Amino acid sequence: MILRHVTFDSARPYELATFWSKVTGWPVSDSGEPGDDEVLVEAPAPVPGMLFIAVPDAKTVKNRVHIDWQPTDHTRDEEVDRILTLGATIHEDHRRPDGRGWVTLLDPEGNEFCIERSQSEVTS
């Protein structure tokens, strides 16, 4: 068995997929267009894609599952700053004075995700 997609319920799938495409650098599927009920952000194999599906319900509670990201080309703080400019907001800041910790952000529809320290920050 393989994990094919991580699926997100969404009010506006194309717009949310576009946000995540900018965050990850992965493309929105060629078949994705504004107004579509399903839009896929295609990840490089073997990473699962991110599928955004229209639902009528608004998000009302904390996610039971969320994604933790580790930057590869930036520090944690640079990545947080970059993603904030794309439309995310800070939900909880768990950074410590010693440099450890993470930041929990919200995407434009309120889904939680975390940015951890990069591998170079962890090993230095």
Side-chain angles (χ1 to χ4, degrees), residues 6-14 16-17 20 37-39 50-60 63 107-111:
V6 175
T7 302
F8 294 77
D9 291 349
S10 176
R12 298 173 43 186
Y14 183 81
L16 195 55
W20 280 104
D37 287 340
E38 295 183 12
V39 181
M50 300 174 77
L51 181 61
F52 300 88
I53 297 180
V55 297
D57 312 314
K59 182 177 181 298
T60 58
N63 295 9
D107 74 13
E109 290 196 11
N111 299 299

Side-chain angles (χ1 to χ4, degrees), residues 99-119:
R100 297 184 336 188
W102 67 96
V103 179
T104 304
L105 300 174
L106 300 176
D107 74 13
E109 290 196 11
N111 299 299
E112 299 92 0
F113 63 100
C114 294
I115 304 298
E116 299 178 349
R117 294 185 300 160
S118 67
Q119 188 61 42

Side-chain angles (χ1 to χ4, degrees), residues 52-124:
F52 300 88
I53 297 180
V55 297
D57 312 314
K59 182 177 181 298
T60 58
V61 298
K62 182 182 184 320
N63 295 9
R64 299 276 315 254
V65 174
H66 70 265
I67 299 174
D68 292 343
W69 296 96
Q70 184 179 50
T72 55
D73 299 331
H74 301 96
T75 66
R76 174 201 55 212
D77 295 346
E78 290 169 340
E79 192 67 2
V80 167
D81 290 343
R82 183 183 75 83
I83 295 171
L84 290 173
T85 68
L86 298 175
T89 56
I90 292 180
H91 178 61
E92 296 175 339
D93 194 331
H94 299 278
R95 290 177 278 197
R96 299 182 189 170
D98 66 2
R100 297 184 336 188
W102 67 96
V103 179
T104 304
L105 300 174
L106 300 176
D107 74 13
E109 290 196 11
N111 299 299
E112 299 92 0
F113 63 100
C114 294
I115 304 298
E116 299 178 349
R117 294 185 300 160
S118 67
Q119 188 61 42
S120 64
E121 292 174 288
V122 171
T123 58
S124 60

